[in-house]
Amino acid sequence: MNKVLLAVATGLIGAAVLHIIIILSVPHFTGRDAYTRVQAEGEANDFHPLSADIDEAGLSNMDPFLRTAVCHFDTTSAPVRLLAQNGRTFWSVAIFDADANEVFSMNDRTSVDGVLDVLIASPQQVARIRRAPPDVLSQSIIVEMPARNGYAVLRIMVPQPSFEEGAKAFLSEAACAQFAGL
């Protein structure tokens, strides 16, 4: 009797674990994961603003007090540099690998003078930069990212309608480009 109960309990636990694994892996196999959706927004190395309506990729800016832009990148041939001038209000950036694991995040309060200046590089590229750092990267935050593909999400707060134009300008002027200075 005890062996039967043990076998049934083991089977139920195994089935539960298997179902959890299948449910969590479905987005990866269906192409509806976050990285694939960000890629569908447009060309690499360019911030793409999101609207309040769900677009064809399935992304939207649902928070009425934030404006959001996304950029996907590949660091295989060169590091990627994210740049944006000081916004009038709170802003934040989060960097994810292609599996949606957060690699780095910061906001205007943790940046140098409220300016976004982040270089995303592979471990080999970071080693080259540290051996001979270019002067243009003296104020940059260098983020080592082992994965070659990823995406960045840039958000800025719009607490009142009068901040809308400034937020749009901040996002449209933000850069997500390969850094050729190595």
Side-chain angles (χ1 to χ4, degrees), residues 47 71 73 82 92-96 102-106 151-155:
F47 275 111
C71 167
F73 55 83
L82 306 178
S92 70
V93 66
I95 300 167
F96 300 88
E102 186 173 9
V103 176
F104 177 79
S105 66
M106 68 180 285
Y151 62 97
V153 179
L154 180 61
R155 297 178 185 97

Side-chain angles (χ1 to χ4, degrees), residues 6-19:
L6 180 62
V8 170
T10 303
L12 289 174
I13 292 171
V17 169
L18 179 63
H19 280 82

Side-chain angles (χ1 to χ4, degrees), residues 25-92:
S25 65
V26 164
H28 176 73
F29 292 111
T30 61
R32 300 301 297 164
D33 60 323
Y35 180 67
T36 305
R37 289 178 180 196
V38 171
Q39 281 184 310
E41 288 296 322
E43 295 294 319
N45 301 321
D46 192 19
F47 275 111
H48 304 282
L50 300 179
S51 69
D53 300 321
I54 297 175
D55 60 16
E56 290 180 16
L59 297 177
S60 68
N61 181 52
M62 299 190 77
D63 190 323
F65 297 108
L66 290 176
R67 299 301 169 263
T68 306
V70 294
C71 167
H72 65 95
F73 55 83
D74 182 351
T75 61
T76 302
S77 59
V80 172
R81 193 170 185 193
L82 306 178
L83 293 168
Q85 295 305 313
N86 190 350
R88 288 178 49 199
T89 62
F90 173 83
W91 60 261
S92 70

Side-chain angles (χ1 to χ4, degrees), residues 84-89 91 106-117 170:
Q85 295 305 313
N86 190 350
R88 288 178 49 199
T89 62
W91 60 261
M106 68 180 285
N107 61 47
D108 62 323
R109 308 300 192 274
T110 59
S111 66
V112 178
D113 296 327
V115 174
L116 171 62
D117 187 356
F170 175 80

